Amino acid sequence: MNQQSSLFGEVLSRPLADRMRPTQISGIVGQEELLGDGAPLRRMIDSGKLSSFILWGPPGCGKTTLARILANATSMRFVALSAVFSGVADLRKAFEEAEKYRAYGEGTLLFIDEIHRFNRAQQDGFLPYVENGTVTLVGATTENPSFELNSALLSRCKVFVLKPLSSDALEKLITKAEELQHRTLPVDADARKLLIELADGDGRYFINLLETVYDLTGMNEILDCETLLKVVQKRAPIYDKDREGHYNLISALHKSLRGSDTDAALYWAARMIEGGEDPKYLLRRLTRFASEDVGLADPQALPLALAAWESYERLGSPEGELAIAELIVYLGTAPKSNSLETAWIAAKKCAKEYSSLTPPAHILNAPTSMMKELGYGKGYIYDHDTPEGFSGQDYFPEAMGRKNFYRPVERGFEREIRRRLEYWNNLRIKKNR
């Protein structure tokens, strides 16, 4: 075997992800909003002056690769640590070495992967070294920095948001892989689209998919969708039940229901369950929605929510999930009103403001003769004794005056409630003239 073929074999033996890793900004696919001409991160790179910043984005969007390229572009020393595997001793060593190199005029770009996994005290340890320029900190996180990072550290770092790779960006990765493999990707047009869908914007996962297809496909074989799914395993949904993704999806579900977009609500609920969410958590939130966003516009919403909850507890998954779907469709198509929630909030606020007033005397019980002599219950009218079944008396404390908390809307059953309240209000005015 000659030297050229040996070198060629060595290159091909390296993992595809390693061979495809870009070494210059121009080689990065996607993230045009940050790296395009005139974009904020591109301006920082072109100026040659990096300040500390946080890269926030989903897995496989290029955070680590970008940090390495930045170090090369600015001739800085690159040091990478992972918050998963590193501790205080590793950080201390990195800072001490950075101080030594700084004395000789060489800056250090300290890249911390999964920086949100460092606790608050460890994050505070970065502050003096970031402030005095010992290191230029580049932190990478998949979690919302607002929740996971100290405000003191955030105030000293810019935050750049990276997005999942688009279909166009993933197509560029296919083209690059084909050039490196000296072979067209062995899939038909539909399987090519399916492969991009399976990646879900994760470039690292996508490149691994491409390598699997190349490794497990014969030279003259072309995969269709069915065969492709046999070759590659379906990706497990990315979903952390205790992190931001959890709150993003439940927010999406709640707002889709509020906007009466039933199909979208079904999708977000399915995403959560497929990701491993506890269906009982969904049921608790849907029951809350029945009171908070449907309310008395449809009084059957709350009983149905409780029935769905009980059905799931009896049946479990997957059979009981259909009860959840039924509830979602019902809530999504129900008339909406937050009048009940608004009334309750207003009533609680008023209760705090007028917390010491006693009820009017005419509605106080008078079980003893002394209480009767003091006027307890005097003047009370038994509503059932009136022709209308309505006395029109005032039940608020006299010093407080009447308040109007509940204001039903002209939707669903609240339209009927509104009609009743208007009738009683007019009758009250008439009786108290």
Side-chain angles (χ1 to χ4, degrees), residues 294-419:
V294 176
L296 289 171
D298 187 342
Q300 292 304 310
L302 185 56
L304 185 64
L306 296 174
W309 199 332
E310 183 179 359
S311 296
Y312 180 81
E313 288 185 333
R314 287 173 178 265
L315 297 174
S317 289
E319 294 87 348
E321 291 170 9
L322 197 58
I324 298 176
E326 179 181 350
L327 176 59
I328 288 170
V329 172
Y330 190 93
L331 295 176
T333 55
K336 310 295 189 298
S337 172
N338 71 337
S339 301
L340 191 64
E341 181 193 23
T342 302
W344 181 237
I345 292 172
K348 289 201 295 183
K349 181 181 178 181
C350 203
K352 290 179 181 178
E353 185 177 354
Y354 299 97
S355 60
S356 60
L357 299 181
T358 57
H362 67 275
I363 61 172
L364 294 177
N365 285 330
T368 67
S369 58
M370 183 189 75
M371 295 172 77
K372 289 179 181 178
E373 291 173 2
L374 291 173
Y376 281 43
K378 184 178 181 181
Y380 173 66
I381 300 173
Y382 189 57
D383 290 79
H384 295 295
D385 288 343
T386 65
E388 304 89 352
F390 178 78
S391 66
Q393 288 190 300
D394 193 359
Y395 302 100
F396 280 96
E398 185 176 348
M400 180 176 165
R402 286 202 59 78
K403 301 291 181 183
N404 181 205
F405 301 130
Y406 178 53
R407 299 175 183 179
V409 297
E410 279 285 346
R411 290 190 294 274
F413 185 71
E414 281 201 320
R415 185 182 291 111
E416 170 63 20
I417 296 176
R418 186 186 183 103
R419 187 184 66 80

Side-chain angles (χ1 to χ4, degrees), residues 30 48 70 73 132 139 173 177 197 209 235 252 255 281 295 320 383 389 398:
L70 290 177
N132 65 20
L173 290 180
E197 291 175 3
L209 282 179
R235 185 184 194 188
K255 290 180 173 64
Y281 171 78
D383 290 79
E398 185 176 348

Side-chain angles (χ1 to χ4, degrees), residues 26 31 57 75 98 123 153 168 201 228 267 281 312 329 353 400:
S26 58
Q31 314 307 338
S75 301
Q123 290 178 30
L153 184 58
D168 290 340
L228 174 66
Y267 166 73
Y281 171 78
Y312 180 81
V329 172
E353 185 177 354
M400 180 176 165

Side-chain angles (χ1 to χ4, degrees), residues 57-76:
C61 65
K63 297 185 289 296
T64 305
T65 298
L66 178 56
R68 289 184 179 274
I69 292 175
L70 290 177
N72 292 333
T74 54
S75 301
M76 299 180 75

